[in-house]
Amino acid sequence: MRVIHHPILNENRQNKKITFYLDGEAIEAMEGDTIASALLANGRKVCRYTRKNNEPRGIFCSIGRCNDCLVTVNGIPNVCSCVTPVKDGMNIKIQKGNGEWEALT
Amino acid sequence: MRKVNLVVVGAGPAGLSASIEAAKHGVKALVLDENHKPGGQLFKQIHKFFGSEQQMAGTRGYEIGTKLLNLAKEYGVEIKLNNRVIGIDDHNTLAIIDNHKYSEIRAKKIILCCGATEKPLAFPGWTLPGVMGAGAAQTLVNIHRVVPGEKIIMVGSGNVGLIVTYHLLQAGVKVKAIIDASHKITGYGVHAAKIKRAGIPIILRYTVNRAMGTNQVEKVELIQVDKSFNKIPCTQISFDVDTICLAVGLSPSTELARMIGCKLYYHPKLGGYIPMVNQYMQTTIEDIYAAGDMTGIEEASIAMEEGRLAGLACAISLGYISDNAQSQKALENIRSNLSQLRMGNGKGGIING
C-alpha cells in the first residue's frame, strides 16, 4: 500500500508510471521507487532464497547495509534492492542462492 | 592519485556538520557517501527535534537535512555520492568504489562519520520477510512512501520504537502493539503519551518467542519474561501480524576505524565497541578523527556538534586557523553545547532504540 496523504509530508503526487519485469512478469512501479519499495508496493515481500536452505529473505535494514534483500538485476546478481532505483524496462529476478552472472555469458 | 586536505566519510548529520565547519575556515572538504542521496538518516526523521534552539530543536529532521545541504553548498563542500570507502591504508590513502569503479584518494586528515546500523534480535523465524528494523519501516513510509505491512507489531519501547510507531500511524497504519521485555517504557514519556492517546497498547515484560509463516510473517508468538529476562513457560500469546519491527538499539558502524587500527573500547550504554577519541574527536591514530553515532549512539543533534568539533579541530591542525586562545575558545563553545545537550540524560542517555 502506498502512502498518498500525509499530515506532515507533501501529498505523494503520482510520479510517472514505469514498468519493470519480475521473472518475466510485467509489473508497474513509479519513478523514484527503489526495487525493494516497488516490489513491496506490489505485495511482493520475498527478494531472494538462500543458497543452503532455500529460505526466503526480504527487506531488513532498507538502507543498504544488511544485504538481505539481494536480487539479480539485468543479469547482475547480488544487487541491494533497497537502495537501487528501479528503472523502466529493468529485468529483475528473485535471486536463487548466489545468483548467476548472465551479463557475462 | 587525487590529493586533498580533508576527506569526511559519510554525509549524515555529523559528516555534513564536520565538512561545513572545516570549510568555514577555508579547508576544502571532500565528503564521500555510499548512498545515492546525501543526508544520512535525517530525511526520514519527520518529527521535531529536542534540545535548545541553537541546536535547531523544534525543527523537523528533514528540514535540518535541507539546511545542512544548503550550507554545504554555500561553503563549497564537495559531496561525492555512490562512493563507498572500502579501506584506508597507513598513509591515509582511501580505497573507494566510485560508482562501481575502483579509485584512490589521499587525504591529510580523515574524519570518519560512518553512523550506525540497527541491531537485530534473534528468535526462531527472525529471517522471514516481514521481520525488519524499525528504521527500515521508517525509511519505507517516510522516504519511499510505501507501508511495510498492514498488521504490524513493534518490538522495543525506546524512542525509536515509539517514534516509528507514530510515523506509521501518520502514514495510515495503526501498529497493533508495542512490546518490550523491560518492566518499564524505556523511551521519553512525551512520546509514550502520544502512543497511548492513539490507543496503541504498550505491553511490557514480553518478548518475541517466535515468528511463524511460510514465505513471510503471518503470526508472532510472544512470551512473558521475568525480571532477569528468562522466559516464563506457558505464558505465550499470539497475534496475527504481517510485519515485526525491531527497535532494539543500534550498533556503531566501526568497520573502517577497526580496519585502520584505531583503538576501540567497549561501552555498553553507547552501543558496544566504539573508537577512543580525545577532546578533539581525534582517534588513537593522529590523522584520523571520528564523530557522530559511530563514536557512541546518541542523538542527531549531538552528532552535529561532534562533527563541528572534529571539523574545527582539523582546520586548526591543518594550519588554517592558528592554535591560539580564540580557536581554543571556539572549541570550548562546541564542547559546552555538547554537555548541555547531554545534560539530564547523561552521556548516552538514549540508547535503547
Side-chain angles (χ1 to χ4, degrees):
Chain A
M1 189 179 80
R2 291 192 186 267
V3 182
I4 310 292
H5 306 291
H6 198 283
I8 311 287
L9 298 169
N10 295 334
E11 193 94 338
N12 191 11
R13 289 196 186 87
Q14 303 290 310
N15 288 345
K16 200 182 138 205
K17 286 203 171 97
I18 54 171
T19 305
F20 69 96
Y21 298 90
L22 182 68
D23 293 321
E25 180 192 348
I27 291 185
E28 209 169 74
M30 297 217 281
E31 214 164 52
D33 278 342
T34 62
I35 296 171
S37 70
L39 290 176
L40 187 61
N42 283 285
R44 317 281 175 128
K45 288 196 174 177
V46 181
C47 296
R48 69 180 176 107
Y49 289 91
T50 58
R51 182 169 56 94
K52 280 186 186 164
N53 299 325
N54 200 36
E55 288 174 355
R57 294 285 191 273
I59 302 171
F60 183 78
C61 78
S62 204
I63 52 168
R65 299 246 32 122
C66 76
N67 290 324
D68 233 13
C69 65
L70 302 177
V71 293
T72 299
V73 179
N74 297 335
I76 299 170
N78 303 318
V79 175
C80 228
S81 66
C82 69
V83 287
T84 307
V86 69
K87 297 268 160 60
D88 197 39
M90 223 177 211
N91 273 309
I92 295 161
K93 276 189 175 169
I94 298 297
Q95 191 167 311
K96 304 271 191 304
N98 294 343
E100 274 171 42
W101 284 87
E102 291 152 44
L104 296 181
T105 54
Chain B
M1 193 199 313
R2 188 173 166 194
K3 288 177 182 154
V4 296
N5 277 330
L6 173 65
V7 162
V8 178
V9 183
L16 288 175
S17 305
S19 57
I20 292 165
E21 195 62 33
K24 271 184 191 172
H25 299 284
V27 185
K28 260 199 91 56
L30 170 65
V31 184
L32 304 174
D33 195 291
E34 63 185 2
N35 298 293
H36 66 280
K37 280 177 185 165
Q41 309 310 316
L42 271 176
F43 285 93
K44 66 190 194 193
Q45 312 298 337
I46 60 168
H47 54 280
K48 291 177 180 172
F49 278 34
F50 288 158
S52 74
E53 216 169 288
Q54 200 186 347
Q55 286 100 21
M56 301 203 243
T59 312
R60 298 183 194 278
Y62 63 89
E63 294 165 341
I64 295 177
T66 310
K67 271 188 188 173
L68 288 177
L69 289 179
N70 287 339
L71 277 173
K73 204 174 167 190
E74 191 184 312
Y75 286 103
V77 172
E78 181 186 353
I79 303 175
K80 287 184 82 174
L81 300 170
N82 293 311
N83 270 250
R84 173 173 287 186
V85 178
I86 55 167
I88 302 171
D89 75 3
D90 295 342
H91 309 287
N92 295 350
T93 305
L94 295 104
I96 301 155
I97 304 292
D98 177 353
N99 289 288
H100 305 291
K101 287 202 176 76
Y102 180 80
S103 73
E104 291 177 353
I105 292 176
R106 186 169 287 180
K108 283 189 185 149
K109 301 280 171 196
I110 298 167
I111 306 177
L112 300 175
C113 303
C114 306
T117 314
E118 290 193 277
K119 280 182 180 159
L121 181 69
F123 46 79
W126 74 294
T127 56
L128 279 171
V131 179
M132 65 175 72
Q138 193 184 28
T139 307
L140 288 169
V141 288
N142 294 346
I143 305 280
H144 306 310
R145 307 290 290 268
V146 179
V147 296
E150 320 275 322
K151 295 176 286 182
I152 306 178
I153 191 158
M154 180 69 66
V155 180
S157 70
N159 283 320
V160 172
L162 298 172
I163 289 172
V164 173
T165 300
Y166 200 70
H167 288 179
L168 286 164
L169 190 67
Q170 287 174 318
V173 200
K174 191 169 165 181
V175 168
K176 285 201 153 192
I178 298 178
I179 68 154
D180 201 309
S182 163
H183 62 282
K184 61 178 199 301
I185 295 166
T186 51
Y188 285 160
V190 279
H191 296 319
K194 268 179 154 178
I195 297 303
K196 285 179 185 164
R197 278 202 297 276
I200 298 168
I202 303 179
I203 306 171
L204 299 172
R205 290 194 290 131
Y206 271 87
T207 189
V208 179
N209 199 35
R210 57 182 171 145
M212 292 165 279
T214 44
N215 244 340
Q216 61 187 61
V217 174
E218 288 157 26
K219 199 176 241 194
V220 63
E221 187 179 88
L222 309 178
I223 190 162
Q224 204 175 351
V225 292
D226 63 21
K227 275 187 182 159
S228 322
F229 303 111
N230 298 309
K231 292 176 178 177
I232 303 171
C234 306
T235 56
Q236 290 95 326
I237 47 171
S238 53
F239 286 91
D240 288 333
V241 295
D242 58 13
T243 308
I244 302 171
C245 289
L246 305 176
V248 291
L250 298 154
S251 321
S253 300
T254 56
E255 297 91 336
L256 280 175
R258 212 179 274 257
M259 189 189 278
I260 322 161
C262 297
K263 252 190 203 143
L264 274 73
Y265 72 107
Y266 190 70
H267 196 313
K269 282 201 160 183
L270 290 177
Y273 279 97
I274 47 178
M276 289 173 85
V277 288
N278 63 12
Q279 69 273 36
Y280 301 101
M281 303 311 291
Q282 187 179 27
T283 67
T284 51
I285 296 175
E286 197 189 346
D287 296 327
I288 314 283
Y289 293 68
D293 269 359
M294 75 168 285
T295 63
I297 308 299
E298 292 180 280
E299 296 205 61
S301 43
I302 288 179
M304 289 187 275
E305 293 296 323
E306 285 185 349
R308 287 183 59 210
L309 193 55
L312 185 57
C314 282
I316 294 172
S317 143
L318 285 165
Y320 281 79
I321 332 166
S322 49
D323 190 4
N324 54 22
Q326 205 183 342
S327 54
Q328 283 302 322
K329 199 176 166 222
L331 288 167
E332 216 34 69
N333 273 342
I334 307 178
R335 289 187 198 120
S336 115
N337 288 346
L338 273 169
S339 58
Q340 263 177 40
L341 280 168
R342 284 174 178 140
M343 215 148 62
N345 302 315
K347 186 162 160 73
I350 299 140
I351 43 147
N352 289 320

